[in-house]
Amino acid sequence: MADAVTRTDLSSADRHDLVVVGGGIAGLVIARDAARAGLRVVLLDASDHRGGMLRRGDLAGIPIDLGAESFATRTDGVADLVADLPADAALEIVSPAPGGAHLAALADGEVLHAPLPRRTVLGIPADPLADDVVRILGDAAARRVADERHADAPAAVTEEPTLADLVAQRCGPELVRRLVDPLCRSVYSAPADRLYLSRLHPALWEAYLTGGSLVAAAATLARPERAGAAVAGIAGGMWRLADAVARDAERHGARLVTAASVVRATPASDGDDIAVELGSGGVFRGARVVIATGATAARRLLGGAPEETAPVRVVAALVHAPALDHHPVGSGVIAAVDVPSAAKALTHVTAKWAWAAASVPAGQHVVRLSARGADAPLSSPEDLAREIALLTGVDVAAADVLAVTSAEWTDAVASAPADDRELSALADRGIHFAGATVAGTGLASVVPHARELARELVARHGATHTSSPSDTSTAPDHPTTSRRIA
């Protein structure tokens, strides 16, 4: 999206109905929906662009996603949002190519490439004895998983185990090592022993608690398509969704302020408004505040000790490799921990999305690699050629790497900024939270949660401000004081 910076007078003490901290998709959606309903809204973001992890990159003039490049279709949240945007946004929801994704794992000292099993949820197979599962797990481990259906149902859950512990206890450690953990590291940027099923996939967690079997729960929810097919994207890139929401928010009067680093959000001394303080010394006041940042930033705003997490680095490359025309690993490949790769996953962008394939000449391809760590050697053409060859099985030389771009995310791992009791107490004092830290990971969770929170805030405002506009289809009559500086 265009990185034009929207600025305003950062010393302003004007009162707003709602102050949103964080300009990712959650913050943008809340700002847009609240402003459309007539609330006076300002959004503050520390970065110099809007959209958070829906970020545009340019690869030799080709616009690509450097953050999220798809969304899960297990909810209608994103599709409903797209349908609710103006027609001039011109957003088209598209499906990925049917090739599916592959797994790279070490077997007898060699890197094995195998299609990910067709019917799985978070790596938990609905059909443990299917050939595509046995090929990856082996016969004995696959039978261990199949037996889980007949194991005793779990006792009443008093404290949820991590996803790794849950799956290992119920299905055996091999399933964790071969499928569940690689998927978690690739998709959620965290190992399975740091994640919880209730947050990653609430429907699967509820089905497990109800039926007492992970495999049976997966069978009720698994889709018949190849792995990686239960997603969709936006033609031209997911960054276009954030751009469209931001433009519509401004159209309805919301002030979107970038390069505005918030350091604290506390109730004002008069007890009526919340003071949102900027590092530059400016203060914004709001009847309510939504913190829609990552977990580390949210904890810092609350005055707590941040839980530092490892940065997530994404590297995209344009390569000349006609051998990739046949899509040898489908839409991409996830690397098991034992694979000697600097990348935990590779997305073959031009194999996955028809719009991307149409943007490059014949024989050229766009790939994205997710680094295993901030220091992983994924910078030079030699690094990239080596990793692409390892993960796809296609010979690529350094000279074949035509262009490279990258992005680093320092607060991408979702975890709650406080426990439920603290979050409830803060909400009573007018401070609310949105985004993956409270909604769960992925746009399929984040967008519906943001829209529901916006509806709640609008309703609360209307209950105490009966003069709020009743026609939510028009912008409020107060002007925006922002200036756009190219």
Side-chain angles (χ1 to χ4, degrees):
M1 63 190 297
D3 280 348
V5 178
T6 304
R7 298 185 185 277
T8 190
D9 177 8
L10 298 188
S11 66
S12 171
D14 290 347
R15 182 186 187 280
H16 296 80
D17 300 320
L18 178 64
V19 179
V20 180
V21 182
I25 191 63
L28 289 172
V29 165
I30 291 169
R32 177 258 185 185
D33 283 4
R36 190 174 67 157
L39 272 63
R40 187 177 178 88
V41 180
V42 62
L43 180 149
L44 309 170
D45 192 85
S47 69
D48 61 0
H49 72 282
R50 307 176 307 202
M53 293 190 70
L54 297 186
R55 182 184 296 183
R56 170 179 170 164
D58 286 287
L59 196 61
I62 303 166
I64 62 165
D65 286 310
L66 286 178
E69 49 92 37
S70 64
F71 61 92
T73 53
R74 56 184 169 82
T75 74
D76 295 327
V78 176
D80 289 345
L81 174 62
V82 170
D84 199 33
L85 290 169
D88 61 11
L91 299 181
E92 179 189 1
I93 295 177
V94 293
S95 298
H102 284 56
L103 174 76
L106 210 58
D108 299 324
E110 299 289 334
V111 176
L112 165 73
H113 294 88
L116 284 167
R118 183 176 294 272
R119 297 186 66 231
T120 65
V121 183
L122 294 178
I124 301 167
D127 308 307
L129 299 181
D131 290 344
D132 53 6
V133 177
V134 174
R135 182 179 180 187
I136 292 172
L137 297 185
D139 185 70
R143 290 188 179 280
R144 168 74 172 82
V145 179
D147 289 342
E148 189 267 351
R149 278 182 176 270
H150 311 294
D152 292 338
V157 177
T158 56
E159 183 175 352
E160 182 182 356
T162 67
L163 179 61
D165 286 343
L166 175 64
V167 175
Q169 292 164 9
R170 297 290 306 179
C171 302
E174 195 67 6
L175 179 59
V176 178
R177 186 175 74 86
R178 286 287 192 177
L179 281 174
V180 175
D181 190 62
L183 283 165
C184 287
R185 291 175 184 270
S186 169
V187 178
Y188 302 110
S189 300
D193 61 8
R194 290 184 54 196
L195 300 172
Y196 294 86
L197 180 56
S198 63
R199 289 183 58 77
L200 295 185
H201 203 305
L204 183 63
W205 173 244
E206 289 300 324
Y208 163 65
L209 293 180
T210 301
S213 164
L214 284 175
V215 173
T220 65
L221 297 170
R223 302 271 292 266
E225 298 92 345
R226 289 285 301 278
V231 299
I234 299 292
M238 287 299 303
W239 61 269
R240 297 187 63 239
L241 175 64
D243 187 53
V245 175
R247 291 177 187 277
D248 203 38
E250 289 182 316
R251 179 179 299 172
H252 288 285
R255 301 168 64 190
L256 306 184
V257 185
T258 55
S261 180
V262 176
V263 296
R264 192 175 297 107
T266 55
S269 57
D270 58 15
D272 292 331
D273 288 340
I274 299 165
V276 178
E277 303 172 44
L278 303 182
S280 62
V283 177
F284 284 81
R285 297 185 182 279
R288 294 196 175 269
V289 169
V290 172
I291 297 176
T293 66
T296 298
R299 291 190 184 96
R300 187 179 295 115
L301 292 178
L302 296 175
E307 178 185 350
E308 298 297 339
T309 58
V312 175
R313 186 158 59 103
V314 174
V315 182
L318 176 67
V319 298
H320 177 76
L324 288 176
D325 290 350
H326 303 295
H327 306 167
V329 291
S331 60
V333 59
I334 291 170
V337 176
D338 56 7
V339 173
S341 173
K344 59 189 177 185
L346 175 149
T347 301
H348 188 169
V349 178
T350 41
K352 188 172 184 177
W353 304 111
W355 64 263
S359 68
V360 298
Q364 292 187 12
H365 294 266
V366 175
V367 297
R368 285 187 3 155
L369 296 103
S370 300
R372 288 198 188 272
D375 299 326
L378 271 180
S379 300
S380 70
E382 290 78 13
D383 294 337
L384 293 165
R386 179 189 65 247
E387 297 300 327
I388 295 169
L390 175 68
L391 295 177
T392 66
V394 168
D395 288 336
V396 177
D400 297 324
V401 179
L402 306 178
V404 180
T405 189
S406 65
E408 185 169 285
W409 307 100
T410 58
D411 199 4
V413 179
S415 59
D419 63 31
D420 290 345
R421 183 178 301 178
E422 291 175 296
L423 294 177
S424 178
L426 287 165
D428 290 340
R429 300 173 67 190
I431 299 178
H432 306 263
F433 293 82
T437 60
V438 290
T441 304
L443 294 172
S445 297
V446 167
V447 170
H449 177 273
R451 304 204 77 188
E452 179 59 33
L453 178 57
R455 283 190 288 269
E456 177 187 332
L457 294 173
V458 168
R460 290 190 182 192
H461 179 79
T464 54
H465 298 74
T466 55
S467 62
S468 295
S470 58
D471 180 4
T472 62
S473 64
T474 59
D477 57 8
H478 59 265
T480 174
T481 58
S482 301
R483 290 192 300 123
R484 290 187 66 88
I485 304 175

